[in-house]
Amino acid sequence: MAEKKVDEKVSAKAAKLKAFFAENKMEMFQDQNVNDEAQTTIFRSKMAVKGQLLPFAILLDQSVYALVQVQLAPAVAVGDAFEKVSTYLNQCNNRVRMFKFTISAAGDVMLNVPMTFKDDDFNPALMNAILVEIIKFLEVEYAGFMAQVWTSAR
């Protein structure tokens, strides 16, 4: 009996997104195949917002879920600051419907956009439009948001 081997196959969504990036000459993404059973691919890049380069990732796999995740501030919600920052982020989550703000295990403040797509319905142009919406939102809100996060982190 042959041993089941996980190879470097990518999900249908990841293949469509790679093709979209190539077709549109979007060369700013680095992709990483996780080589797991879900065929997870992580596309990493950075977005320029208010003079800052914010790392972000698009996570795609065989499930119906897709996730865009932007790191807004590294390691600010640690120790005593965790409660204050999380209280502020909860207020943001109640105010902003499209985006969800979270804190990673390392205390990083993250902006998440969870989405659902079946492989057949995955639309890379929509994914790109969501990235544009994130940038528009951050161009308007980032300075005030970060002022609140830094104040809360003290």
Side-chain angles (χ1 to χ4, degrees), residues 48-104:
V49 176
K50 298 291 185 187
Q52 301 294 313
L53 285 177
L54 304 178
F56 75 95
I58 300 169
L59 291 85
L60 300 173
D61 61 22
Q62 290 180 328
S63 74
V64 297
Y65 301 103
L67 178 68
V68 176
Q69 193 167 59
V70 182
Q71 183 186 54
L72 299 177
V76 295
V78 293
D80 295 339
F82 179 85
E83 188 173 332
K84 289 180 184 176
V85 173
S86 63
T87 298
Y88 172 66
L89 294 181
N90 193 45
Q91 293 168 0
C92 292
N93 286 332
N94 289 331
R95 187 174 38 95
V96 181
R97 292 183 184 201
M98 185 172 151
F99 308 126
K100 291 300 158 210
F101 301 93
T102 61
I103 300 171
S104 73

Side-chain angles (χ1 to χ4, degrees), residues 14-15 24-25 39 52 70-71 75 88 94 106 121 130 135 143 145:
N24 291 283
K25 297 178 177 40
Q39 296 180 346
Q52 301 294 313
V70 182
Q71 183 186 54
Y88 172 66
N94 289 331
D121 299 333
I130 289 168
I135 293 169
F145 178 86

